[in-house]
């Protein structure tokens, strides 16, 4: 009786697997990789997800065709949701080393993905494309500006860099990135302020400690506080703000050190005397 039960269970399992394979195995392949979704006419934009308005799509098609004609760079846009032509777009657009394919798909954690030709890596490194994706494709940017703006802004940023012969970083300084540089500038100032407070009586500034900790505060203020600004924009206002924040934090830390460490040192001196 035990053998019969095992045989029945094994047969039922085989039927279940066979049913799942026959019932659900073919349809996802057709839904997620269908060359029939390709348009019947040449176009640099395939908007399956309807992320762009008709006017935006028409203007973008004309812009990308004109850019390809004048520069030789081939920029293409594919938006998708539950359907995609898959690898068929490679032959449809004849993608090569001078091609950039922007794929917009909201099903992932980031809206944007890029298929970058090898010739573009000579002008914009891989870190550029990672920054481009995270800046314009993140959920917050898409929520505040819309999918259409995320697609167009990212594409125009890449196009602008190609016009000037390449970029090492994505131009422009978004507010959240400036706030990050501001916070690192403040931290650098705090390090300088606490380091500068004299450890011995008769001194005004402890320059030895400032120099000793210079690798730390130079990284915070210089590399992380001013570096991202100077490489992304020519605007001097955020540079001035970060510099003032650095100096203000240094002065505040110096005064706090005097009100805490300094008073404790005076009490110790009074106690010994």
């Amino acid at each position: 009786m035990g053998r019969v039960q095992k045989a029945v269970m094994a047969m039922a399992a085989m039927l279940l697997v066979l049913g799942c394979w026959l019932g659900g195995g073919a349809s996802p392949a057709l839904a997620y990789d269908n060359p029939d979704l390709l348009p019947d006419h040449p176009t640099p934009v395939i908007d399956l997800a309807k992320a762009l308005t008709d006017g935006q799509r028409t203007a973008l098609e004309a812009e990308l065709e004109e850019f390809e004609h004048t520069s030789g760079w081939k920029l293409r846009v594919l938006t998708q949701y539950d359907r995609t032509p898959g690898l068929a777009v490679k032959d449809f657009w004849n993608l090569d080393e001078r091609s950039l394919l922007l794929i917009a798909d909201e099903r992932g954690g980031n809206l944007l993905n890029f298929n970058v030709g090898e010739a573009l890596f000579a002008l914009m490194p891989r870190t550029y494309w990672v920054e481009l994706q995270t800046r314009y494709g993140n959920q917050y940017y898409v929520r505040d500006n819309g999918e259409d703006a995320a697609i167009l802004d990212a594409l125009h940023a890449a196009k602008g860099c190609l016009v000037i012969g390449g970029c090492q970083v994505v131009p422009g300084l978004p507010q959240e990135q400036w706030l990050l540089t501001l916070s690192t500038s403040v931290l650098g100032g705090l390090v300088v302020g606490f380091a500068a407070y004299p450890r011995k009586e008769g001194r005004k500034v402890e320059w030895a400690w400032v120099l000793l900790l210079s690798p730390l505060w130079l990284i915070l203020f210089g590399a992380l506080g001013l570096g991202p600004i100077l490489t992304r924009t020519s605007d001097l206002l955020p540079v001035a703000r970060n510099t003032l924040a650095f100096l203000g934090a240094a002065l505040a830390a110096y005064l706090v050190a005097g009100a805490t460490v300094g008073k404790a040192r005076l009490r110790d001196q009074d106690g010994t005397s």
Side-chain angles (χ1 to χ4, degrees):
M1 189 67 178
R3 292 182 179 178
V4 174
Q5 290 178 343
K6 292 180 180 180
V8 171
M9 292 176 62
M11 185 175 295
M14 292 176 61
L15 290 174
L16 180 61
V17 172
L18 182 61
C20 292
W21 181 71
L22 291 176
S27 55
L30 294 175
Y32 289 96
D33 191 1
N34 188 358
D36 295 336
L37 296 174
L38 294 171
D40 56 2
H41 60 281
T43 174
V45 180
I46 301 178
D47 188 16
L48 298 177
K50 303 300 181 184
L52 305 172
T53 64
D54 292 339
Q56 288 175 324
R57 188 186 69 254
T58 301
L60 184 59
E61 288 174 344
E63 177 184 350
L64 297 185
E65 289 173 352
E66 174 64 20
F67 184 67
E68 182 180 359
H69 177 72
T70 57
S71 68
W73 294 107
K74 187 182 301 183
L75 275 58
R76 298 293 184 262
V77 177
L78 169 66
T79 72
Q80 60 188 25
Y81 183 63
D82 59 342
R83 301 182 303 165
T84 174
L87 296 177
V89 297
K90 183 176 182 180
D91 294 330
F92 178 78
W93 278 324
N94 191 25
L95 299 178
D96 54 22
E97 62 178 8
R98 294 181 61 85
S99 302
L100 170 64
L101 171 59
L102 184 153
I103 304 173
D105 192 332
E106 65 176 7
R107 291 174 295 179
N110 193 292
L111 173 68
L112 303 178
N113 283 286
F114 299 96
N115 189 324
V116 184
E118 289 297 328
L120 279 83
F121 283 124
L123 303 180
M124 287 96 88
R126 296 183 185 275
T127 53
Y128 172 93
W129 302 104
V130 175
E131 182 181 353
L132 188 68
Q133 180 190 39
T134 54
R135 179 182 297 187
Y136 295 111
N138 69 80
Q139 296 178 356
Y140 302 103
Y141 192 91
V142 174
R143 181 195 62 191
D144 296 338
N145 300 277
E147 291 186 10
D148 55 344
I151 294 169
L152 295 175
D153 291 347
L155 195 66
H156 288 152
K159 177 186 171 184
C161 285
L162 290 174
V163 169
I164 63 176
C167 299
Q168 293 299 308
V169 295
V170 179
L173 186 69
Q175 184 178 13
E176 59 273 11
Q177 190 168 24
W178 171 71
L179 291 175
L180 179 61
T181 64
L182 181 65
S183 63
T184 59
S185 299
V186 170
L187 288 175
L190 294 176
V191 172
V192 171
F194 282 115
Y197 187 77
R199 273 70 176 169
K200 295 181 179 180
E201 189 176 357
R203 295 182 181 179
K204 296 297 183 181
V205 177
E206 198 72 54
W207 292 111
W209 279 95
V210 174
L211 294 176
L212 182 63
L213 295 178
S214 59
L216 177 58
W217 63 262
L218 281 175
I219 290 176
L220 290 171
F221 175 57
L224 301 179
L226 296 183
I229 299 175
L230 297 175
T231 56
R232 288 167 173 79
T233 178
S234 58
D235 188 5
L236 296 179
L237 182 59
V239 175
R241 288 173 175 173
N242 284 17
T243 303
L244 290 175
F246 171 79
L247 296 175
L251 178 60
Y254 186 92
L255 296 176
V256 170
T260 56
V261 179
K263 287 184 177 181
R265 188 176 62 190
L266 289 176
R267 286 197 301 267
D268 293 340
Q269 291 177 352
D270 292 339
T272 56
S273 61

